[in-house]
Amino acid sequence: MKHSIVAPAILAALCMAGPAPGQSLKRPDAPFIRSADGKLVGRLDGPACSSTVSLVFSGTSEVFGDGKSANRMMSNVVQNVRASCGSVNLIAAKGVANGRVVYNAVADASSKWLLLELGGDRSGGLLASGTVGASGDQNRFAASNRFLPLGSLLKTMGGARYLCAQQTAEGCTVSTEFRAASEGGATLVSRYLLDGGGTLATVSYDGTNVGGLLCANPKSAKITVEGGSQSPAARARLADDLRERLDPYGSQICSGWQASGPRFIGANFNAQGAQLGKALVLTTSATPPKLRREE
């Protein structure tokens, strides 16, 4: 999919001149960039040219779910902003579909503009947020004869502390560690690999047993981005932006598990009992499993 800059001469003039500090471009009718087919549109979310340039990409879940379109658009944005705005040090973008953030990306000068991003809901973890089910999903999940209340899950796991999502020979898309786990609750620590350089996004929260599910207030979750070649500023910006994915979940998020032969099925639910993203096929591991980035 090719992307084209809208009104490049006008945009270049804006970026080279630079807006006054704090000035924003509030023209939703004037896209900064759009795909050739018009299915993905990027607009500035703040100054047109400054040390940090932020954008919002708008499209459908299908467009973001293909794993390529948003990446191409962000790469094109980085190339063009660098060429037209000499003061830029960091470029960030978020992708929104159906009112939910399903894509985040950041690139900065100190890492030679390496792109760090996390896409839509294919991995199905807490940061997925791409699709939301119906309010009865949680009740149906817990009513299944395959449902494993937290205490039963821990007994079935034995000495294993980790659940590995979508395991292949290359690794897992999400690794979830159970810390201080008991029938009353546990601290969950989930990790996602963001690039080939070892950059990890980590989401951790303390949950309690509510009807056999592990539940917590998502506002208490801690999100960090560590490792890799990006600058501390770029990693911190991505961690802050990823937090926005938890906002629509409300005051409670619950995780539940079902037995599936030698494996498990794991799913997350919001305060209304609607499933978040896709259910995950999980395997156990006694040691931290190797992670892979889902392409």
Side-chain angles (χ1 to χ4, degrees):
M1 178 184 294
K2 294 183 178 179
H3 296 89
S4 59
I5 293 298
V6 175
I10 296 175
L11 176 62
L14 274 173
C15 286
M16 292 177 69
Q23 180 180 347
S24 296
L25 183 65
K26 298 183 181 298
R27 291 187 54 198
D29 60 329
F32 181 92
I33 189 172
R34 61 187 169 204
S35 61
D37 60 10
K39 293 183 178 181
L40 192 59
V41 176
R43 293 180 171 88
L44 289 167
D45 186 27
C49 180
S50 66
S51 60
T52 298
V53 174
S54 302
L55 296 99
V56 176
F57 297 164
S58 300
T60 64
S61 298
E62 291 74 20
V63 170
F64 287 106
D66 70 13
K68 298 177 181 179
S69 298
N71 172 277
R72 291 172 182 171
M73 180 171 279
M74 182 61 177
S75 298
N76 208 346
V77 164
V78 170
Q79 178 182 353
N80 284 277
V81 171
R82 287 175 57 197
S84 57
C85 178
S87 64
V88 65
N89 289 315
L90 186 146
I91 302 170
K94 64 181 178 182
V96 178
N98 300 320
R100 296 180 179 274
V101 178
V102 297
Y103 173 83
N104 294 93
V106 65
D108 73 323
S110 64
S111 63
K112 298 182 180 179
W113 301 105
L114 288 174
L115 181 58
L116 192 61
E117 59 183 348
L118 183 65
D121 66 348
R122 291 178 301 151
S123 292
L126 283 181
L127 294 179
S129 76
T131 58
V132 179
S135 59
D137 291 342
Q138 180 175 306
N139 290 338
R140 286 189 290 271
F141 188 90
S144 169
N145 58 10
R146 297 186 301 164
F147 176 64
L148 289 172
L150 179 62
S152 299
L153 172 74
L154 296 176
K155 290 179 182 178
T156 305
M157 290 175 64
R161 289 175 49 195
Y162 299 87
L163 289 177
C164 165
Q166 299 172 319
Q167 185 176 23
T168 67
E170 288 73 36
C172 314
T173 57
V174 185
S175 165
T176 298
E177 178 185 3
F178 287 74
R179 293 181 180 174
S182 69
E183 189 167 352
T187 297
L188 286 193
V189 182
S190 296
R191 297 180 175 88
Y192 307 73
L193 183 64
L194 300 181
D195 62 10
T199 309
L200 292 175
T202 301
V203 182
S204 61
Y205 64 90
D206 298 325
T208 57
N209 188 335
V210 179
L213 291 93
L214 190 67
C215 301
N217 187 332
K219 291 181 173 55
S220 68
K222 299 178 181 178
I223 300 179
T224 61
V225 177
E226 300 174 304
S229 303
Q230 280 71 18
S231 70
R235 294 195 300 267
R237 171 59 187 258
L238 185 60
D240 287 343
D241 287 351
L242 289 176
R243 172 161 290 282
E244 190 176 358
R245 295 195 183 202
L246 304 182
D247 290 346
Y249 296 167
S251 60
Q252 179 175 274
I253 186 168
C254 293
S255 300
W257 298 270
Q258 294 177 347
S260 180
R263 302 181 179 183
F264 304 99
I265 300 295
N268 300 305
F269 307 91
N270 65 12
Q272 290 72 46
Q275 184 172 314
L276 303 168
K278 299 178 181 178
L280 295 174
V281 177
L282 306 167
T283 55
T284 60
S285 176
T287 58
K290 178 183 177 182
L291 289 171
R292 64 181 172 89
R293 184 185 178 198
E294 188 171 17
E295 300 296 339

